[in-house]
Amino acid sequence: MNLDKEICDYLTDKYGFRKSWRDPEIVPIQKFWSVQDDWQLLPEDLAEILIDVFTKYGVDYSKFDMLNYYEAERAFWQRKPPKRDLKPLTVEMIIEAVKAKRWLYD
């Protein structure tokens, strides 16, 4: 089995989701998916998933910065930071990091 498929299968098995609560079938996670748009992960869920995957495959993720991909959460009374462009994050980027054994994009 190739590594791309292995990682997508692992993510589907462990973190997959259903289209609706009535649908018994898990949606297979695809390499080309955007984590923010197609998978629609919250930052805390993504952090848990990345730690799991990167630990399982021995990836150095010390250079990964969640703030490049998600806005920082703030309490309602705190001032909002200036708007900035967020980078896209894809399943393919995670796969490429696993292959390289380090985070490649920050």
Side-chain angles (χ1 to χ4, degrees), residues 1-2 19 21 24 30 45 48 52-53 62 68 70-71 97:
M1 180 186 317
N2 71 26
K19 287 183 183 178
W21 63 272
Q30 303 294 315
D45 294 334
E48 178 183 323
D52 175 37
V53 171
S62 61
N68 286 327
Y70 288 91
E71 292 289 342

Side-chain angles (χ1 to χ4, degrees), residues 2 8-10 12 14-15 27 34-35 41 47 58-59 66 69-71 84-85 87 94 96 103:
N2 71 26
C8 286
D9 288 348
Y10 179 77
T12 299
K14 198 150 183 199
Y15 303 104
V27 176
S34 161
V35 171
L41 290 175
V59 175
M66 185 74 76
Y69 308 100
Y70 288 91
E71 292 289 342
R84 60 188 179 88
D85 291 331
K87 296 178 181 179
I94 297 168
E96 292 304 315
W103 187 248

Side-chain angles (χ1 to χ4, degrees), residues 9-70:
D9 288 348
Y10 179 77
L11 292 170
T12 299
D13 291 344
K14 198 150 183 199
Y15 303 104
F17 61 92
R18 294 175 172 80
K19 287 183 183 178
S20 76
W21 63 272
R22 293 180 287 179
D23 190 355
E25 191 169 327
I26 301 291
V27 176
I29 292 171
Q30 303 294 315
K31 179 180 177 175
F32 60 84
W33 277 9
S34 161
V35 171
Q36 297 101 325
D37 299 328
D38 299 312
W39 206 355
Q40 298 180 357
L41 290 175
L42 298 172
E44 53 271 17
D45 294 334
L46 175 62
E48 178 183 323
I49 291 168
L50 289 179
I51 289 169
D52 175 37
V53 171
F54 291 164
T55 302
K56 175 179 174 58
Y57 290 99
V59 175
D60 174 13
Y61 57 95
S62 61
K63 303 274 188 216
F64 180 83
D65 184 357
M66 185 74 76
L67 294 176
N68 286 327
Y69 308 100
Y70 288 91

